[in-house]
Amino acid sequence: AGPQPVARAIELLRAHPEHPWAVSELANHVSVSVRSLQEGFRRTADTTPMEYLRELRLEQIRDELALADPGAVSVSQVAARWGITHFGRFAANYHRRFGEKPSETMRRSATSSP
């Protein structure tokens, strides 16, 4: 897969990051094989489609947690809305990416509100 199918796949992932994507479904949508899509992602984005999606979801979750009211919503509820099903793995990936726990992001936003 050249840059065009990868770009279309990225558009789909960005448009619907909450969707429970499978690589085969994504490849089907952009009319390439799974292997071609994975190789195209590796060449053009230096990642895999599912790693790209995970990072995209982490960013979306962080944005939502930063604005969330801790009394009205939980970290688990926010994560579930973005398609997260394995919360332990999510928390580890979140900490690796942002250097803090998801609950710390939410608490920080609550303490910085007027």
Side-chain angles (χ1 to χ4, degrees):
Q4 202 61 2
V6 172
R8 289 195 327 262
I10 287 172
E11 286 176 22
L12 284 169
L13 294 174
R14 286 188 167 280
H16 305 285
E18 74 290 349
H19 182 78
W21 290 105
V23 179
S24 57
E25 178 187 14
L26 192 58
N28 187 48
H29 275 285
V30 298
S31 304
V32 297
S33 70
V34 168
R35 185 175 177 138
S36 292
L37 184 62
Q38 289 173 326
E39 289 174 359
F41 258 84
R42 184 62 66 198
R43 270 194 318 273
T44 60
D46 195 32
T47 191
T48 67
M50 294 301 98
E51 288 171 354
Y52 184 91
L53 178 59
R54 183 182 66 230
E55 294 299 316
L56 180 61
R57 285 177 175 169
L58 287 174
E59 291 171 13
Q60 297 293 326
I61 292 167
R62 186 168 200 238
D63 289 348
E64 192 170 331
L65 290 176
L67 299 172
D69 174 2
V73 68
S74 71
V75 170
S76 296
Q77 289 170 320
V78 172
R81 263 198 301 274
W82 290 100
I84 302 300
T85 57
H86 192 289
F87 296 108
R89 190 176 316 138
F90 155 71
N93 287 330
Y94 189 96
H95 187 271
R96 174 194 49 78
R97 175 79 160 80
F98 301 114
E100 65 183 7
K101 296 176 184 176
S103 58
E104 292 171 336
T105 301
M106 186 179 272
R107 269 196 303 271
R108 189 171 29 81
S109 71
T111 59
S112 64
S113 298

Short mmCIF file of all heavy atoms in Angstrom, two decimals, residues 30-99:
data_model
loop_
_atom_site.label_atom_id
_atom_site.label_comp_id
_atom_site.label_asym_id
_atom_site.label_seq_id
_atom_site.Cartn_x
_atom_site.Cartn_y
_atom_site.Cartn_z
N VAL A 30 -10.23 0.57 2.56
CA VAL A 30 -9.32 1.30 1.69
C VAL A 30 -8.83 0.43 0.52
O VAL A 30 -7.93 0.82 -0.21
CB VAL A 30 -8.14 1.92 2.46
CG1 VAL A 30 -8.65 2.92 3.48
CG2 VAL A 30 -7.27 0.86 3.12
N SER A 31 -9.43 -0.75 0.37
CA SER A 31 -9.21 -1.63 -0.77
C SER A 31 -7.77 -2.12 -0.93
O SER A 31 -7.22 -2.12 -2.04
CB SER A 31 -9.69 -0.97 -2.07
OG SER A 31 -11.03 -0.59 -1.97
N VAL A 32 -7.17 -2.52 0.18
CA VAL A 32 -5.84 -3.15 0.13
C VAL A 32 -5.86 -4.35 1.08
O VAL A 32 -6.78 -4.52 1.88
CB VAL A 32 -4.70 -2.19 0.54
CG1 VAL A 32 -4.59 -1.02 -0.42
CG2 VAL A 32 -4.87 -1.71 1.97
N SER A 33 -4.84 -5.19 0.98
CA SER A 33 -4.75 -6.33 1.89
C SER A 33 -4.29 -5.86 3.26
O SER A 33 -3.72 -4.77 3.41
CB SER A 33 -3.75 -7.37 1.35
OG SER A 33 -2.43 -6.86 1.43
N VAL A 34 -4.52 -6.68 4.26
CA VAL A 34 -4.09 -6.37 5.62
C VAL A 34 -2.59 -6.16 5.65
O VAL A 34 -2.09 -5.19 6.21
CB VAL A 34 -4.52 -7.49 6.60
CG1 VAL A 34 -3.83 -7.34 7.95
CG2 VAL A 34 -6.03 -7.53 6.75
N ARG A 35 -1.87 -7.08 5.03
CA ARG A 35 -0.41 -6.98 5.02
C ARG A 35 0.07 -5.70 4.34
O ARG A 35 0.97 -5.02 4.83
CB ARG A 35 0.18 -8.21 4.34
CG ARG A 35 1.68 -8.23 4.40
CD ARG A 35 2.22 -9.51 3.82
NE ARG A 35 3.67 -9.47 3.83
CZ ARG A 35 4.43 -10.46 4.16
NH1 ARG A 35 3.90 -11.60 4.52
NH2 ARG A 35 5.73 -10.34 4.12
N SER A 36 -0.54 -5.35 3.22
CA SER A 36 -0.17 -4.12 2.52
C SER A 36 -0.43 -2.89 3.38
O SER A 36 0.37 -1.96 3.42
CB SER A 36 -0.93 -3.99 1.20
OG SER A 36 -0.51 -4.96 0.29
N LEU A 37 -1.57 -2.89 4.07
CA LEU A 37 -1.89 -1.75 4.92
C LEU A 37 -0.89 -1.64 6.07
O LEU A 37 -0.40 -0.55 6.37
CB LEU A 37 -3.31 -1.86 5.47
CG LEU A 37 -3.78 -0.67 6.29
CD1 LEU A 37 -3.80 0.61 5.44
CD2 LEU A 37 -5.15 -0.95 6.89
N GLN A 38 -0.57 -2.77 6.69
CA GLN A 38 0.39 -2.76 7.80
C GLN A 38 1.76 -2.29 7.33
O GLN A 38 2.41 -1.47 7.98
CB GLN A 38 0.48 -4.14 8.44
CG GLN A 38 -0.77 -4.48 9.23
CD GLN A 38 -0.79 -5.90 9.73
OE1 GLN A 38 -0.29 -6.82 9.08
NE2 GLN A 38 -1.39 -6.10 10.90
N GLU A 39 2.20 -2.79 6.18
CA GLU A 39 3.50 -2.37 5.64
C GLU A 39 3.48 -0.89 5.25
O GLU A 39 4.45 -0.17 5.47
CB GLU A 39 3.89 -3.24 4.45
CG GLU A 39 4.26 -4.66 4.84
CD GLU A 39 4.49 -5.57 3.64
OE1 GLU A 39 4.36 -5.11 2.49
OE2 GLU A 39 4.79 -6.74 3.88
N GLY A 40 2.37 -0.43 4.69
CA GLY A 40 2.24 0.98 4.32
C GLY A 40 2.30 1.89 5.54
O GLY A 40 2.95 2.93 5.51
N PHE A 41 1.63 1.49 6.61
CA PHE A 41 1.69 2.26 7.85
C PHE A 41 3.10 2.30 8.39
O PHE A 41 3.58 3.34 8.83
CB PHE A 41 0.75 1.67 8.91
CG PHE A 41 -0.54 2.42 9.06
CD1 PHE A 41 -1.61 2.17 8.23
CD2 PHE A 41 -0.69 3.38 10.04
CE1 PHE A 41 -2.81 2.85 8.36
CE2 PHE A 41 -1.88 4.07 10.20
CZ PHE A 41 -2.95 3.81 9.35
N ARG A 42 3.78 1.16 8.35
CA ARG A 42 5.13 1.09 8.88
C ARG A 42 6.05 2.03 8.08
O ARG A 42 6.85 2.75 8.65
CB ARG A 42 5.64 -0.36 8.81
CG ARG A 42 6.99 -0.58 9.41
CD ARG A 42 7.13 -0.28 10.88
NE ARG A 42 6.36 -1.17 11.71
CZ ARG A 42 6.04 -0.90 12.97
NH1 ARG A 42 6.45 0.21 13.55
NH2 ARG A 42 5.34 -1.74 13.67
N ARG A 43 5.90 2.02 6.75
CA ARG A 43 6.74 2.88 5.90
C ARG A 43 6.42 4.36 6.04
O ARG A 43 7.32 5.19 6.13
CB ARG A 43 6.57 2.48 4.43
CG ARG A 43 7.51 1.44 3.93
CD ARG A 43 7.50 1.35 2.40
NE ARG A 43 6.18 1.44 1.80
CZ ARG A 43 5.37 0.39 1.60
NH1 ARG A 43 5.74 -0.81 1.96
NH2 ARG A 43 4.20 0.56 1.03
N THR A 44 5.15 4.70 6.04
CA THR A 44 4.79 6.12 6.00
C THR A 44 4.57 6.76 7.36
O THR A 44 4.77 7.96 7.51
CB THR A 44 3.52 6.35 5.15
OG1 THR A 44 2.44 5.62 5.72
CG2 THR A 44 3.73 5.91 3.72
N ALA A 45 4.17 5.96 8.36
CA ALA A 45 3.87 6.53 9.69
C ALA A 45 4.74 5.93 10.79
O ALA A 45 4.61 6.32 11.94
CB ALA A 45 2.39 6.32 10.01
N ASP A 46 5.59 4.97 10.45
CA ASP A 46 6.47 4.30 11.40
C ASP A 46 5.70 3.72 12.59
O ASP A 46 6.11 3.82 13.74
CB ASP A 46 7.58 5.25 11.89
CG ASP A 46 8.71 4.49 12.58
OD1 ASP A 46 8.97 3.33 12.19
OD2 ASP A 46 9.31 5.05 13.51
N THR A 47 4.55 3.14 12.28
CA THR A 47 3.71 2.51 13.30
C THR A 47 2.81 1.50 12.61
O THR A 47 2.89 1.32 11.40
CB THR A 47 2.90 3.57 14.07
OG1 THR A 47 2.29 2.95 15.20
CG2 THR A 47 1.88 4.28 13.21
N THR A 48 1.94 0.87 13.35
CA THR A 48 0.92 -0.02 12.78
C THR A 48 -0.43 0.69 12.85
O THR A 48 -0.58 1.66 13.60
CB THR A 48 0.83 -1.34 13.57
OG1 THR A 48 0.32 -1.05 14.88
CG2 THR A 48 2.18 -2.03 13.66
N PRO A 49 -1.41 0.22 12.10
CA PRO A 49 -2.73 0.85 12.18
C PRO A 49 -3.31 0.84 13.59
O PRO A 49 -3.86 1.84 14.05
CB PRO A 49 -3.59 0.01 11.23
CG PRO A 49 -2.63 -0.59 10.27
CD PRO A 49 -1.37 -0.82 11.05
N MET A 50 -3.16 -0.26 14.31
CA MET A 50 -3.73 -0.34 15.65
C MET A 50 -2.95 0.50 16.65
O MET A 50 -3.53 1.08 17.57
CB MET A 50 -3.83 -1.79 16.11
CG MET A 50 -4.83 -2.62 15.29
SD MET A 50 -6.55 -2.01 15.29
CE MET A 50 -6.66 -1.09 13.77
N GLU A 51 -1.64 0.61 16.50
CA GLU A 51 -0.87 1.50 17.37
C GLU A 51 -1.27 2.96 17.11
O GLU A 51 -1.40 3.75 18.04
CB GLU A 51 0.63 1.32 17.14
CG GLU A 51 1.18 0.03 17.69
CD GLU A 51 2.62 -0.23 17.25
OE1 GLU A 51 3.17 0.52 16.42
OE2 GLU A 51 3.19 -1.21 17.74
N TYR A 52 -1.47 3.29 15.84
CA TYR A 52 -1.91 4.64 15.48
C TYR A 52 -3.25 4.94 16.15
O TYR A 52 -3.45 6.00 16.75
CB TYR A 52 -2.02 4.78 13.96
CG TYR A 52 -2.38 6.17 13.53
CD1 TYR A 52 -1.38 7.10 13.25
CD2 TYR A 52 -3.70 6.58 13.43
CE1 TYR A 52 -1.70 8.40 12.89
CE2 TYR A 52 -4.03 7.87 13.06
CZ TYR A 52 -3.02 8.77 12.78
OH TYR A 52 -3.34 10.06 12.42
N LEU A 53 -4.17 3.99 16.07
CA LEU A 53 -5.49 4.16 16.67
C LEU A 53 -5.39 4.30 18.18
O LEU A 53 -6.05 5.16 18.77
CB LEU A 53 -6.40 2.99 16.30
CG LEU A 53 -7.81 3.01 16.90
CD1 LEU A 53 -8.57 4.27 16.47
CD2 LEU A 53 -8.56 1.75 16.50
N ARG A 54 -4.56 3.49 18.81
CA ARG A 54 -4.39 3.58 20.26
C ARG A 54 -3.90 4.96 20.67
O ARG A 54 -4.42 5.57 21.59
CB ARG A 54 -3.42 2.50 20.77
CG ARG A 54 -3.29 2.55 22.30
CD ARG A 54 -2.32 1.55 22.86
NE ARG A 54 -0.98 1.87 22.42
CZ ARG A 54 -0.14 1.01 21.86
NH1 ARG A 54 -0.50 -0.24 21.65
NH2 ARG A 54 1.07 1.39 21.51
N GLU A 55 -2.90 5.48 19.97
CA GLU A 55 -2.37 6.81 20.29
C GLU A 55 -3.42 7.89 20.06
O GLU A 55 -3.54 8.83 20.85
CB GLU A 55 -1.10 7.09 19.48
CG GLU A 55 0.07 6.20 19.85
CD GLU A 55 0.50 6.34 21.31
OE1 GLU A 55 0.59 7.48 21.80
OE2 GLU A 55 0.77 5.30 21.95
N LEU A 56 -4.18 7.76 19.00
CA LEU A 56 -5.25 8.70 18.71
C LEU A 56 -6.30 8.70 19.83
O LEU A 56 -6.72 9.75 20.31
CB LEU A 56 -5.89 8.35 17.37
CG LEU A 56 -7.03 9.22 16.88
CD1 LEU A 56 -6.58 10.66 16.69
CD2 LEU A 56 -7.58 8.65 15.58
N ARG A 57 -6.68 7.50 20.26
CA ARG A 57 -7.65 7.40 21.35
C ARG A 57 -7.10 7.98 22.64
O ARG A 57 -7.83 8.66 23.37
CB ARG A 57 -8.04 5.94 21.56
CG ARG A 57 -8.96 5.40 20.50
CD ARG A 57 -9.25 3.95 20.72
NE ARG A 57 -10.23 3.45 19.77
CZ ARG A 57 -10.51 2.17 19.60
NH1 ARG A 57 -9.90 1.25 20.35
NH2 ARG A 57 -11.41 1.79 18.72
N LEU A 58 -5.83 7.73 22.93
CA LEU A 58 -5.24 8.29 24.14
C LEU A 58 -5.31 9.81 24.14
O LEU A 58 -5.63 10.43 25.15
CB LEU A 58 -3.78 7.83 24.30
CG LEU A 58 -3.57 6.37 24.70
CD1 LEU A 58 -2.08 6.03 24.66
CD2 LEU A 58 -4.15 6.07 26.06
N GLU A 59 -5.02 10.42 23.00
CA GLU A 59 -5.09 11.88 22.89
C GLU A 59 -6.52 12.38 23.11
O GLU A 59 -6.74 13.36 23.82
CB GLU A 59 -4.59 12.34 21.52
CG GLU A 59 -3.11 12.13 21.33
CD GLU A 59 -2.67 12.38 19.89
OE1 GLU A 59 -3.46 12.93 19.09
OE2 GLU A 59 -1.53 12.00 19.57
N GLN A 60 -7.49 11.69 22.51
CA GLN A 60 -8.89 12.08 22.66
C GLN A 60 -9.35 11.94 24.11
O GLN A 60 -10.04 12.82 24.64
CB GLN A 60 -9.79 11.23 21.75
CG GLN A 60 -9.50 11.39 20.27
CD GLN A 60 -9.86 12.76 19.75
OE1 GLN A 60 -10.81 13.38 20.21
NE2 GLN A 60 -9.11 13.24 18.79
N ILE A 61 -8.94 10.86 24.73
CA ILE A 61 -9.32 10.64 26.13
C ILE A 61 -8.70 11.70 27.02
O ILE A 61 -9.36 12.25 27.90
CB ILE A 61 -8.91 9.22 26.58
CG1 ILE A 61 -9.77 8.18 25.85
CG2 ILE A 61 -9.03 9.07 28.10
CD1 ILE A 61 -9.27 6.76 25.98
N ARG A 62 -7.44 12.01 26.78
CA ARG A 62 -6.77 13.03 27.60
C ARG A 62 -7.48 14.38 27.47
O ARG A 62 -7.71 15.08 28.45
CB ARG A 62 -5.32 13.17 27.21
CG ARG A 62 -4.58 14.12 28.16
CD ARG A 62 -3.10 14.02 27.93
NE ARG A 62 -2.38 14.53 29.09
CZ ARG A 62 -1.52 15.53 29.02
NH1 ARG A 62 -1.26 16.12 27.88
NH2 ARG A 62 -0.89 15.93 30.10
N ASP A 63 -7.83 14.74 26.24
CA ASP A 63 -8.56 15.99 26.03
C ASP A 63 -9.88 16.00 26.81
O ASP A 63 -10.24 17.00 27.43
CB ASP A 63 -8.85 16.21 24.54
CG ASP A 63 -7.61 16.54 23.73
OD1 ASP A 63 -6.54 16.83 24.33
OD2 ASP A 63 -7.70 16.49 22.49
N GLU A 64 -10.59 14.88 26.76
CA GLU A 64 -11.87 14.82 27.46
C GLU A 64 -11.68 14.83 28.97
O GLU A 64 -12.44 15.50 29.69
CB GLU A 64 -12.64 13.57 27.03
CG GLU A 64 -14.07 13.59 27.49
CD GLU A 64 -14.93 12.49 26.88
OE1 GLU A 64 -14.66 12.05 25.76
OE2 GLU A 64 -15.90 12.10 27.56
N LEU A 65 -10.68 14.11 29.48
CA LEU A 65 -10.42 14.10 30.92
C LEU A 65 -10.03 15.48 31.42
O LEU A 65 -10.40 15.87 32.53
CB LEU A 65 -9.33 13.09 31.26
CG LEU A 65 -9.68 11.62 31.12
CD1 LEU A 65 -8.45 10.76 31.40
CD2 LEU A 65 -10.83 11.23 32.02
N ALA A 66 -9.30 16.22 30.62
CA ALA A 66 -8.86 17.56 31.02
C ALA A 66 -10.04 18.52 31.19
O ALA A 66 -9.94 19.50 31.92
CB ALA A 66 -7.88 18.11 30.00
N LEU A 67 -11.15 18.21 30.53
CA LEU A 67 -12.34 19.07 30.63
C LEU A 67 -13.44 18.47 31.50
O LEU A 67 -14.45 19.13 31.75
CB LEU A 67 -12.91 19.31 29.22
CG LEU A 67 -11.98 20.02 28.24
CD1 LEU A 67 -12.59 20.03 26.85
CD2 LEU A 67 -11.68 21.42 28.71
N ALA A 68 -13.26 17.24 31.95
CA ALA A 68 -14.32 16.51 32.65
C ALA A 68 -14.55 17.01 34.06
O ALA A 68 -13.64 17.50 34.73
CB ALA A 68 -13.98 15.02 32.68
N ASP A 69 -15.77 16.85 34.50
CA ASP A 69 -16.14 17.11 35.90
C ASP A 69 -16.04 15.78 36.63
O ASP A 69 -16.84 14.87 36.37
CB ASP A 69 -17.57 17.65 35.95
CG ASP A 69 -18.09 17.82 37.37
OD1 ASP A 69 -17.34 17.55 38.34
OD2 ASP A 69 -19.27 18.22 37.50
N PRO A 70 -15.06 15.63 37.54
CA PRO A 70 -14.88 14.35 38.22
C PRO A 70 -16.11 13.88 39.00
O PRO A 70 -16.27 12.69 39.22
CB PRO A 70 -13.72 14.61 39.19
CG PRO A 70 -13.03 15.81 38.65
CD PRO A 70 -14.08 16.62 37.96
N GLY A 71 -16.98 14.80 39.37
CA GLY A 71 -18.20 14.41 40.07
C GLY A 71 -19.27 13.86 39.14
O GLY A 71 -20.22 13.22 39.59
N ALA A 72 -19.12 14.11 37.86
CA ALA A 72 -20.15 13.72 36.91
C ALA A 72 -19.77 12.52 36.04
O ALA A 72 -20.65 11.86 35.49
CB ALA A 72 -20.49 14.90 36.00
N VAL A 73 -18.47 12.25 35.93
CA VAL A 73 -18.02 11.18 35.04
C VAL A 73 -16.76 10.54 35.62
O VAL A 73 -16.00 11.19 36.33
CB VAL A 73 -17.77 11.74 33.61
CG1 VAL A 73 -16.58 12.67 33.58
CG2 VAL A 73 -17.61 10.62 32.60
N SER A 74 -16.56 9.27 35.31
CA SER A 74 -15.36 8.57 35.78
C SER A 74 -14.40 8.37 34.62
O SER A 74 -14.78 8.45 33.45
CB SER A 74 -15.74 7.21 36.37
OG SER A 74 -16.14 6.32 35.34
N VAL A 75 -13.16 8.09 34.96
CA VAL A 75 -12.15 7.78 33.95
C VAL A 75 -12.61 6.59 33.12
O VAL A 75 -12.50 6.59 31.89
CB VAL A 75 -10.77 7.51 34.59
CG1 VAL A 75 -9.79 6.97 33.57
CG2 VAL A 75 -10.22 8.78 35.24
N SER A 76 -13.14 5.57 33.77
CA SER A 76 -13.60 4.37 33.05
C SER A 76 -14.70 4.70 32.05
O SER A 76 -14.72 4.15 30.95
CB SER A 76 -14.11 3.32 34.04
OG SER A 76 -13.07 2.88 34.86
N GLN A 77 -15.62 5.58 32.43
CA GLN A 77 -16.69 5.97 31.50
C GLN A 77 -16.13 6.68 30.28
O GLN A 77 -16.55 6.41 29.15
CB GLN A 77 -17.71 6.86 32.21
CG GLN A 77 -18.55 6.14 33.23
CD GLN A 77 -19.37 7.09 34.07
OE1 GLN A 77 -18.89 8.16 34.47
NE2 GLN A 77 -20.61 6.71 34.36
N VAL A 78 -15.20 7.58 30.50
CA VAL A 78 -14.59 8.30 29.38
C VAL A 78 -13.84 7.32 28.48
O VAL A 78 -14.00 7.33 27.26
CB VAL A 78 -13.65 9.42 29.89
CG1 VAL A 78 -12.87 10.04 28.73
CG2 VAL A 78 -14.44 10.48 30.63
N ALA A 79 -13.04 6.45 29.07
CA ALA A 79 -12.26 5.49 28.29
C ALA A 79 -13.18 4.56 27.50
O ALA A 79 -12.92 4.28 26.32
CB ALA A 79 -11.34 4.70 29.20
N ALA A 80 -14.25 4.09 28.12
CA ALA A 80 -15.18 3.18 27.44
C ALA A 80 -15.83 3.85 26.23
O ALA A 80 -16.04 3.20 25.20
CB ALA A 80 -16.25 2.69 28.42
N ARG A 81 -16.12 5.14 26.34
CA ARG A 81 -16.71 5.86 25.20
C ARG A 81 -15.79 5.86 23.99
O ARG A 81 -16.25 5.97 22.86
CB ARG A 81 -16.99 7.32 25.60
CG ARG A 81 -18.39 7.58 26.01
CD ARG A 81 -18.74 9.05 25.98
NE ARG A 81 -17.92 9.89 26.83
CZ ARG A 81 -18.15 10.12 28.11
NH1 ARG A 81 -19.16 9.55 28.71
NH2 ARG A 81 -17.38 10.93 28.80
N TRP A 82 -14.48 5.75 24.23
CA TRP A 82 -13.51 5.77 23.15
C TRP A 82 -13.07 4.38 22.73
O TRP A 82 -12.07 4.21 22.06
CB TRP A 82 -12.32 6.64 23.53
CG TRP A 82 -12.71 8.07 23.56
CD1 TRP A 82 -13.02 8.81 24.65
CD2 TRP A 82 -12.91 8.92 22.43
NE1 TRP A 82 -13.38 10.08 24.28
CE2 TRP A 82 -13.33 10.17 22.91
CE3 TRP A 82 -12.77 8.75 21.05
CZ2 TRP A 82 -13.61 11.25 22.07
CZ3 TRP A 82 -13.05 9.81 20.22
CH2 TRP A 82 -13.46 11.04 20.73
N GLY A 83 -13.83 3.36 23.15
CA GLY A 83 -13.56 2.01 22.68
C GLY A 83 -12.55 1.23 23.51
O GLY A 83 -12.11 0.17 23.10
N ILE A 84 -12.20 1.73 24.68
CA ILE A 84 -11.25 1.04 25.54
C ILE A 84 -11.98 -0.07 26.29
O ILE A 84 -12.99 0.18 26.93
CB ILE A 84 -10.57 2.01 26.53
CG1 ILE A 84 -9.86 3.14 25.79
CG2 ILE A 84 -9.64 1.26 27.47
CD1 ILE A 84 -8.76 2.73 24.85
N THR A 85 -11.44 -1.28 26.23
CA THR A 85 -12.05 -2.42 26.92
C THR A 85 -11.13 -3.01 27.97
O THR A 85 -11.59 -3.68 28.88
CB THR A 85 -12.46 -3.52 25.92
OG1 THR A 85 -11.31 -3.92 25.18
CG2 THR A 85 -13.53 -3.01 24.96
N HIS A 86 -9.84 -2.80 27.86
CA HIS A 86 -8.88 -3.34 28.82
C HIS A 86 -8.30 -2.16 29.59
O HIS A 86 -7.35 -1.51 29.16
CB HIS A 86 -7.79 -4.12 28.09
CG HIS A 86 -6.94 -4.93 29.00
ND1 HIS A 86 -6.02 -4.36 29.87
CD2 HIS A 86 -6.86 -6.27 29.18
CE1 HIS A 86 -5.42 -5.32 30.54
NE2 HIS A 86 -5.90 -6.49 30.14
N PHE A 87 -8.89 -1.88 30.77
CA PHE A 87 -8.56 -0.66 31.49
C PHE A 87 -7.16 -0.67 32.11
O PHE A 87 -6.52 0.36 32.20
CB PHE A 87 -9.63 -0.36 32.54
CG PHE A 87 -10.97 -0.08 31.91
CD1 PHE A 87 -12.00 -1.01 32.01
CD2 PHE A 87 -11.18 1.07 31.19
CE1 PHE A 87 -13.22 -0.76 31.40
CE2 PHE A 87 -12.40 1.33 30.58
CZ PHE A 87 -13.42 0.40 30.69
N GLY A 88 -6.66 -1.83 32.50
CA GLY A 88 -5.30 -1.90 33.04
C GLY A 88 -4.26 -1.56 31.98
O GLY A 88 -3.33 -0.78 32.23
N ARG A 89 -4.43 -2.11 30.79
CA ARG A 89 -3.53 -1.81 29.69
C ARG A 89 -3.66 -0.33 29.29
O ARG A 89 -2.67 0.33 29.00
CB ARG A 89 -3.83 -2.71 28.49
CG ARG A 89 -2.79 -2.62 27.40
CD ARG A 89 -3.03 -3.59 26.26
NE ARG A 89 -3.39 -4.92 26.73
CZ ARG A 89 -4.34 -5.67 26.20
NH1 ARG A 89 -5.05 -5.25 25.18
NH2 ARG A 89 -4.60 -6.87 26.70
N PHE A 90 -4.89 0.16 29.26
CA PHE A 90 -5.12 1.56 28.96
C PHE A 90 -4.36 2.47 29.92
O PHE A 90 -3.67 3.40 29.51
CB PHE A 90 -6.62 1.89 29.00
CG PHE A 90 -6.92 3.33 29.28
CD1 PHE A 90 -6.66 4.30 28.32
CD2 PHE A 90 -7.44 3.72 30.50
CE1 PHE A 90 -6.92 5.65 28.58
CE2 PHE A 90 -7.70 5.05 30.77
CZ PHE A 90 -7.44 6.01 29.81
N ALA A 91 -4.49 2.19 31.23
CA ALA A 91 -3.83 3.04 32.24
C ALA A 91 -2.31 3.02 32.06
O ALA A 91 -1.66 4.06 32.17
CB ALA A 91 -4.22 2.58 33.64
N ALA A 92 -1.76 1.86 31.76
CA ALA A 92 -0.30 1.75 31.55
C ALA A 92 0.12 2.53 30.31
O ALA A 92 1.13 3.25 30.33
CB ALA A 92 0.10 0.29 31.44
N ASN A 93 -0.63 2.39 29.23
CA ASN A 93 -0.31 3.13 27.99
C ASN A 93 -0.46 4.63 28.19
O ASN A 93 0.34 5.42 27.68
CB ASN A 93 -1.20 2.67 26.84
CG ASN A 93 -0.83 1.30 26.33
OD1 ASN A 93 0.32 0.88 26.40
ND2 ASN A 93 -1.81 0.58 25.82
N TYR A 94 -1.48 5.02 28.93
CA TYR A 94 -1.71 6.44 29.21
C TYR A 94 -0.54 7.01 30.00
O TYR A 94 -0.01 8.08 29.67
CB TYR A 94 -3.02 6.61 29.99
CG TYR A 94 -3.47 8.04 30.14
CD1 TYR A 94 -4.40 8.57 29.27
CD2 TYR A 94 -2.97 8.85 31.15
CE1 TYR A 94 -4.84 9.88 29.40
CE2 TYR A 94 -3.39 10.16 31.29
CZ TYR A 94 -4.33 10.67 30.41
OH TYR A 94 -4.74 11.98 30.54
N HIS A 95 -0.12 6.31 31.02
CA HIS A 95 1.00 6.77 31.86
C HIS A 95 2.29 6.85 31.04
O HIS A 95 3.05 7.81 31.16
CB HIS A 95 1.17 5.86 33.07
CG HIS A 95 2.17 6.38 34.04
ND1 HIS A 95 3.51 6.07 33.96
CD2 HIS A 95 2.03 7.21 35.09
CE1 HIS A 95 4.15 6.68 34.94
NE2 HIS A 95 3.28 7.40 35.64
N ARG A 96 2.52 5.85 30.21
CA ARG A 96 3.69 5.85 29.35
C ARG A 96 3.68 7.07 28.42
O ARG A 96 4.69 7.74 28.24
CB ARG A 96 3.76 4.57 28.51
CG ARG A 96 4.88 4.54 27.48
CD ARG A 96 4.72 3.43 26.45
NE ARG A 96 3.40 3.33 25.83
CZ ARG A 96 2.94 4.12 24.86
NH1 ARG A 96 3.67 5.11 24.41
NH2 ARG A 96 1.74 3.94 24.35
N ARG A 97 2.53 7.38 27.87
CA ARG A 97 2.41 8.45 26.88
C ARG A 97 2.47 9.85 27.51
O ARG A 97 3.09 10.75 26.99
CB ARG A 97 1.11 8.28 26.11
CG ARG A 97 0.77 9.37 25.11
CD ARG A 97 1.55 9.20 23.83
NE ARG A 97 0.97 9.89 22.73
CZ ARG A 97 1.12 11.19 22.50
NH1 ARG A 97 1.81 11.94 23.32
NH2 ARG A 97 0.57 11.74 21.44
N PHE A 98 1.80 10.03 28.66
CA PHE A 98 1.64 11.37 29.22
C PHE A 98 2.35 11.59 30.55
O PHE A 98 2.36 12.71 31.06
CB PHE A 98 0.15 11.70 29.38
CG PHE A 98 -0.61 11.66 28.08
CD1 PHE A 98 -1.59 10.70 27.88
CD2 PHE A 98 -0.34 12.55 27.06
CE1 PHE A 98 -2.28 10.64 26.67
CE2 PHE A 98 -1.02 12.50 25.85
CZ PHE A 98 -2.00 11.54 25.66
N GLY A 99 2.92 10.53 31.12
CA GLY A 99 3.67 10.68 32.36
C GLY A 99 2.81 10.88 33.60
O GLY A 99 3.31 11.33 34.63
#
